[in-house]
Amino acid sequence: MTNHSEATDPLGPLDPPAPLDEPVVTLRTPAELADALPYLLGFKPEESVVLIALHGKRGRFGGRVRLGVPERAEDWPGVAEQLAECLVSGCERRESRPDGIVAFLCQEPVGAETGQAVVARLRPLAQVLRTACGRLDVPVLEVVCISAGRFWTYCCPDTRCCPPEGVPLLRPGTSVLAAAATYLGVRASATQSEIRRRLTPWNTAAATDQERVLDAAGLELVPRIVSEEDRDDDGSGQDGHGVAAETLDLARRIMARLAAAPPTADTLDADNKDDELLAHDEAAALIFGLQSRTTRDRAAEWMEGDEAPAALRLWRALARRCVGAYAEHAAPPLALAGWVAWSLGDLAEGQEALDMALCADSDYTFALLLSRACNEDIDPESIRRCLRRRRDERAGEAVPGAAPEALEEASPRRRRRRRVPRAAPGEGPEVPVGPRAAPGTAPTAPRTAGGTRAPGSPGTGPRNRRRTVRRSARDD
């Protein structure tokens, strides 16, 4: 792969051909590799380190790991070791040790910086990635840097195919892989910034009003939450009463309100309309109520069926309301958004939301466990089963007993083993384009003011909505 004019070795046993209903695309050049990345991740990465495993003589794509580019260069060696270990150990658990790795460094220039300057600045990171993988006896066959609409390779010395000024990326939608993905309904149009924008706190005049309401709600709700949690620890608390019950009841009513107003195709307009359906005091009550572990775990049960889309819209809206000094309070709604998105099959938003939750609170155990499960390709159905059982036990539909933690119970033996088709002889890594992949997901392949009502009290709808809530792309 590092010598792009050299054909793949045709000798050796051939992999069996792929089934006719599972098309496989063969990639031959770094340009095709760069074009494939959004389809493998489900979105267009902008600030990412990505490692993808290769298996077999034909370089079949396997597991993958992604992390934001660390800001400090002194963190690069440690991050490289963690990524390499995560990818190799994950592949060994799922199928087999990888035979090679392809790495991508994606970062856009800052200010007057050029794409070439980005490549030069990230060269040490490329080297520590190769070294870290080499320590595990897995070679890095290619490192591609993508920046400013061009790509560079750190591994090919031939300036005829990899010139110093870089090579323009393929025009979106023109490659064989793009055609195959489009035929199967796989989209990769969203960028990281577009996903994050839907989960980022407001930067508008309405943020001042929301922060003022959060201040007032905190003075009322925090003492109640602490008092009720103390009673629960003593065994004197009663299920179905207090802030937890108020929070869940309010969330259900707002979810019904959102479900009655279907979203539009334009995500910015859809989020603006959702924001208008949620009052400042309602958002504040939910944000504080979800800081309770028990309440959050109950809310996590809205992960499938008709409840899940409305729940995801609500968690996104609450994350956007964690403004100003309340940025750390975004960890629960962000983690819930990540969990529901992942449960619905949108791995890209799930991982991005979980990453943002850990940025809000790096020690948030719920997000840590979900992020690890998501990256290790644990089947979300194993977690859903645990949450369903807990719900059934509360309803008396199962034998009462202490249920294990849902995430910890999702053991490796219950992880998915996706069948990956293998291509007939050909050059370059093979990209399995899974049948009927859900829109917006990666291809199937193995591998986050004013007068207020008492927070949580009954109401018929938003009474303090403001048109200043509406955002524009310029505001974000």
Side-chain angles (χ1 to χ4, degrees), residues 232-257:
D232 289 342
D233 290 340
D234 294 337
S236 58
Q238 294 183 358
D239 189 27
H241 299 280
V243 176
E246 293 172 3
T247 300
L248 295 170
D249 178 67
L250 178 60
R252 290 189 188 96
R253 287 188 279 112
I254 296 175
M255 285 166 55
R257 191 185 304 161

Side-chain angles (χ1 to χ4, degrees), residues 201 210-211 213-214 217-218 221-222 225 243 247 250-251 254 278-292 295-296 314-323 326-334 336 364 455-456:
Q210 181 63 71
E211 188 169 11
V213 176
L214 283 164
L221 287 174
V222 171
I225 293 172
V243 176
T247 300
L250 178 60
I254 296 175
L278 179 62
H280 293 325
D281 55 338
E282 292 174 327
L286 291 174
I287 288 169
F288 280 106
L290 289 173
Q291 304 305 309
S292 165
T295 308
R296 179 210 63 208
L314 176 57
W315 307 145
R316 288 187 193 128
L318 293 180
R320 296 193 293 268
R321 299 294 184 107
C322 294
V323 297
Y326 295 92
E328 188 173 318
H329 288 67
L334 282 170
L336 287 169
Y364 194 52

Side-chain angles (χ1 to χ4, degrees), residues 130-210:
R130 298 179 72 180
T131 302
C133 295
R135 290 196 190 100
L136 299 175
D137 295 326
V138 182
V140 175
L141 304 180
E142 185 68 275
V143 184
V144 178
C145 182
I146 301 175
S147 181
R150 290 176 171 265
F151 73 86
W152 291 258
T153 171
Y154 290 108
C155 298
C156 180
D158 192 343
T159 58
R160 293 174 298 177
C161 60
C162 301
E165 65 274 15
V167 179
L169 294 171
L170 296 177
R171 189 159 59 89
T174 60
S175 67
V176 175
L177 177 61
T182 301
Y183 176 76
L184 293 172
V186 178
R187 295 184 300 110
S189 56
T191 64
Q192 271 186 282
S193 59
E194 290 169 344
I195 295 174
R196 295 177 74 89
R197 184 180 64 196
R198 307 193 73 181
L199 303 164
T200 300
W202 286 347
N203 186 25
T204 65
T208 302
D209 292 340
Q210 181 63 71

